[in-house]
């Protein structure tokens, strides 16, 4: 993987020219008292370094004569490591992670200025850690103060997002391999869960089946808290309590994906746990499926990203009009968003090292254009909570539709020829879901 990380850093360094970029690792988070959460590296930091420890800082200084990639890490400390685990340490980090020089994190204040003083700006994201922000700002202020003596130095701090995140948005072959793996494991978990789910089981038992597969297959764990939402719980978009006992006649909505080497899968399926859709469930399911298929068909290089959502909305509105759940003119319903009580979220998001991955969707009035190497989810849904309030002028919803929530979500890679569905191992046709 080392050439892959070299390449990423080289790409970013080519863009920042005379700037110096500072990336900080994620901190080790405390869960309660002195019990720690599992460590989760910062995605930008990981993308550029592959280094998976807290208390580290990466500096990229493409203009520096000697050192272009500088790492600050926790030094080896056998006593501390007994408690908190293995550290790569200063010596090994240089070899293993390809830095030009590695220092102990304790040397940051002393060593950092030499990498900033000839730069024209600092690329740094102001983070949640105010103390660290202050540290960077203090160095900057010091350089501003002494600028007249040198005539060089950073005159601005810029958020690295607009330079780095377009790179992260286009996945390399190595990244696509990891995403395929995350997708495959997530798909296997969904298939196991569907075979397990029966009336009478608890949602958390289905969750356990899913997460069992994640760990058995080498995933780090969940990409996000698993949503196992039976019956009316499916109308709560981020339902994660997973406590209900499932009843005969319920649909079960499962939105779950694993994180594999920090790359994420994100799949939703909705199916009848007794193996038979009711007429109402089936009618709505067919609309969502058609919306998803047509939306996926829009995933093609050169198409605007917004076309995915627009297509899904059009199919959903036409379907709800056919069922009499909406009434009036299709285009007016869309323009005035009168469908929103039934479909209130967007149809997808970028997927990668973050589940809701980095990268823009819009450039002012213009939608971002799809390009090979991007990965997006496509996840339309229809939700009819018993409390649904249609907008004025629209019909009340007959209670026979109440409590039905449906979403279907796949992970789709944009390819030169069109797209590839990474999660196609999980069935979604009515025929495949009925038994
Ligand atoms: N599971 C989070 C999402 O689908 O966006
Ligand atoms: Mn999801
Ligand atoms: Mn999603």
């Amino acid at each position: 993987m080392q050439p892959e990380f070299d390449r990423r850093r080289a790409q970013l360094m080519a863009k920042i020219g005379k700037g110096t970029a500072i990336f900080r690792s994620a901190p080790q988070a405390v869960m309660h008292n002195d019990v720690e959460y599992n460590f989760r590296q910062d995605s930008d930091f990981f993308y550029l370094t592959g280094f998976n420890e807290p208390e580290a800082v990466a500096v990229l200084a493409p203009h520096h004569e000697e050192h272009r990639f500088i790492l600050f890490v926790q030094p080896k400390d056998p006593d501390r490591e007994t408690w908190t685990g293995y550290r790569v340490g200063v010596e090994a980090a240089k070899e293993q992670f390809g830095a030009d020089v590695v220092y102990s994190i304790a040397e940051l204040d002393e060593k950092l200025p030499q990498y900033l003083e000839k730069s024209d700006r600092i690329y740094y994201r102001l983070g949640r850690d105010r103390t660290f922000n202050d540290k960077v700002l203090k160095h900057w202020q010091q350089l501003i103060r002494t600028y007249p003596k040198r005539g060089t130095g950073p005159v601005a701090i810029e958020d690295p997002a607009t330079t780095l995140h377009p790179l992260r948005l286009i996945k390399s072959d190595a990244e696509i391999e990891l995403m395929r793996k995350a997708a495959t494991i997530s798909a296997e978990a969904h298939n196991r869960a569907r075979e397990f789910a029966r009336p009478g089981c608890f949602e958390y038992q289905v969750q356990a089946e899913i997460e069992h597969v994640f760990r058995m297959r080498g995933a780090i764990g969940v990409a996000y808290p698993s949503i196992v939402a039976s019956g009316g719980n499916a109308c709560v978009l981020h339902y994660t309590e997973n406590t209900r006992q499932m009843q005969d006649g319920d649909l079960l909505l499962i939105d779950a994906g694993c994180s594999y080497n920090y790359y994420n899968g994100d799949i939703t399926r909705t199916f009848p746990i007794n193996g038979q859709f009711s007429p109402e469930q089936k009618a709505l399911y067919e609309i969502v499926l058609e919306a998803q298929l047509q939306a996926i068909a829009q995933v093609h290089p050169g198409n605007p990203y917004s076309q995915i959502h627009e297509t899904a909305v059009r199919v959903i509105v036409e379907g709800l009009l056919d069922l009499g759940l909406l009434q009036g003119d299709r285009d007016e319903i869309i323009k005035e968003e009168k469908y929103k009580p039934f479909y209130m979220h967007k149809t997808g998001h970028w997927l990668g090292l973050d589940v809701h991955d980095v990268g823009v969707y819009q450039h002012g009035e213009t939608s971002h254009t799809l390009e090979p190497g991007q990965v997006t989810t496509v996840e339309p849904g229809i939700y009819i909570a018993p409390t649904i309030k249609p907008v004025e002028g629209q019909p009340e919803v007959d209670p026979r539709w109440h409590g039905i929530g449906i979403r279907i979500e796949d992970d789709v890679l944009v390819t030169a020829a069109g797209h590839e569905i990474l999660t196609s191992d999980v069935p979604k046709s009515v025929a495949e879901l009925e038994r």
Side-chain angles (χ1 to χ4, degrees):
M1 277 296 275
Q2 207 42 253
E4 171 81 12
F5 291 106
D6 289 345
R7 189 185 52 70
R8 294 177 192 172
R9 287 190 299 271
Q11 278 185 312
L12 181 61
M13 285 198 270
K15 289 173 88 175
I16 67 176
K18 285 183 66 66
T20 295
I22 302 172
F23 293 94
R24 191 174 184 226
S25 71
Q28 176 65 64
V30 173
M31 185 151 64
H32 53 81
N33 226 349
D34 56 0
V35 175
E36 292 174 344
Y37 278 109
N38 283 340
F39 175 68
R40 203 299 185 183
Q41 188 55 285
D42 174 84
S43 296
D44 283 345
F45 186 92
F46 188 78
Y47 179 81
L48 291 167
T49 66
F51 190 67
N52 198 25
E53 290 184 23
E55 302 306 324
V57 172
V59 176
L60 301 182
H63 48 81
H64 193 267
E65 293 85 11
E66 256 187 296
H67 305 142
R68 291 155 55 85
F69 172 33
I70 305 100
L71 262 182
F72 294 86
V73 306
Q74 297 179 108
K76 295 293 285 177
D77 180 340
D79 287 344
R80 288 303 304 155
E81 287 177 59
T82 303
W83 289 88
T84 57
Y86 175 78
R87 294 176 180 179
V88 171
V90 171
E91 303 296 313
K94 186 165 183 317
E95 188 62 29
Q96 286 178 31
F97 295 90
D100 297 318
V101 64
V102 182
Y103 302 111
S104 162
I105 188 70
E107 296 179 278
L108 183 70
D109 279 328
E110 180 196 334
K111 303 290 187 189
L112 186 59
Q114 64 182 300
Y115 301 112
L116 300 177
E117 65 193 11
K118 290 190 181 152
S119 70
D120 62 1
R121 67 185 53 213
I122 298 172
Y123 291 85
Y124 172 70
R125 165 155 285 194
L126 289 169
R128 274 191 222 133
D129 181 344
R130 294 286 177 97
T131 311
F132 194 81
N133 292 344
D134 284 347
K135 194 187 272 289
V136 173
L137 292 174
K138 206 182 79 206
H139 282 291
W140 184 42
Q141 281 168 333
Q142 175 67 16
L143 290 165
I144 294 277
R145 250 196 309 276
T146 54
Y147 185 96
K149 286 192 197 150
R150 289 185 320 277
T152 65
V155 294
I157 294 196
E158 182 173 322
D159 189 281
T162 49
T163 36
L164 177 61
H165 293 173
L167 304 178
R168 278 182 56 190
L169 180 54
I170 307 291
K171 275 64 182 173
S172 68
D173 290 347
E175 290 183 288
I176 290 167
E177 270 321 295
L178 293 170
M179 296 203 64
R180 263 186 228 291
K181 185 84 180 170
T184 304
I185 296 170
S186 303
E188 183 183 333
H190 272 262
N191 287 333
R192 180 175 165 124
R194 192 181 60 261
E195 279 153 28
F196 172 85
R198 289 284 179 279
C201 346
F202 287 87
E203 293 164 341
Y204 53 76
Q205 294 175 316
V206 177
Q207 177 186 356
E209 291 292 316
I210 293 166
E211 294 175 13
H212 170 86
V213 174
F214 291 173
R215 287 303 277 156
M216 285 301 281
R217 291 283 176 259
I220 305 167
V222 297
Y224 50 89
S226 303
I227 296 169
V228 182
S230 61
N233 290 341
C235 299
V236 180
L237 297 180
H238 289 167
Y239 173 82
T240 52
E241 283 121 41
N242 302 347
T243 47
R244 180 173 174 271
Q245 189 172 28
M246 303 188 296
Q247 308 296 314
D248 196 29
D250 283 348
L251 289 182
L252 179 60
L253 182 157
I254 300 177
D255 184 348
C258 74
S259 174
Y260 185 84
N261 264 34
Y262 290 144
Y263 285 84
N264 298 295
D266 184 4
I267 304 179
T268 307
R269 287 292 185 270
T270 311
F271 58 90
I273 49 166
N274 65 9
Q276 290 294 317
F277 284 96
S278 73
E280 287 79 13
Q281 291 169 347
K282 187 187 279 183
L284 294 172
Y285 188 87
E286 304 259 38
I287 297 169
V288 177
L289 182 58
E290 184 60 22
Q292 204 231 13
L293 295 174
Q294 289 202 31
I296 290 175
Q298 305 309 313
V299 180
H300 196 286
N303 275 359
Y305 189 84
S306 58
Q307 203 161 304
I308 301 170
H309 182 60
E310 285 162 12
T311 300
V313 167
R314 182 178 46 70
V315 176
I316 286 172
V317 168
E318 286 171 355
L320 294 174
L321 280 167
D322 284 346
L323 295 178
L325 288 162
L326 287 173
Q327 63 187 22
D329 176 64
R330 180 192 77 178
D331 294 340
E332 191 201 307
I333 289 172
I334 292 173
K335 187 155 164 272
E336 298 188 3
E337 301 188 335
K338 292 181 178 171
Y339 59 84
K340 276 210 163 165
F342 297 92
Y343 183 38
M344 59 298 280
H345 61 76
K346 286 281 189 186
T347 303
H349 51 82
W350 303 126
L351 182 71
L353 274 174
D354 290 305
V355 179
H356 292 184
D357 205 25
V358 296
V360 296
Y361 297 94
Q362 278 292 127
H363 306 271
E365 294 299 300
T366 314
S367 175
H368 191 71
T369 304
L370 292 168
E371 281 176 64
Q374 296 167 342
V375 181
T376 183
T377 66
V378 180
E379 49 177 309
I382 294 178
Y383 312 90
I384 309 189
T387 51
I388 190 166
K389 286 268 166 291
V391 300
E392 207 170 308
Q394 291 294 319
E396 287 298 313
V397 176
D398 188 293
R400 72 195 164 98
W401 301 101
H402 282 174
I404 303 178
I406 295 162
R407 179 165 64 255
I408 308 172
E409 174 175 29
D410 281 299
D411 304 341
V412 184
L413 167 69
V414 187
T415 63
H419 64 258
E420 177 190 335
I421 303 175
L422 301 178
T423 46
S424 58
D425 290 347
V426 201
K428 59 186 176 187
S429 72
V430 167
E432 288 167 305
L433 297 179
E434 288 200 322
R435 50 181 158 74

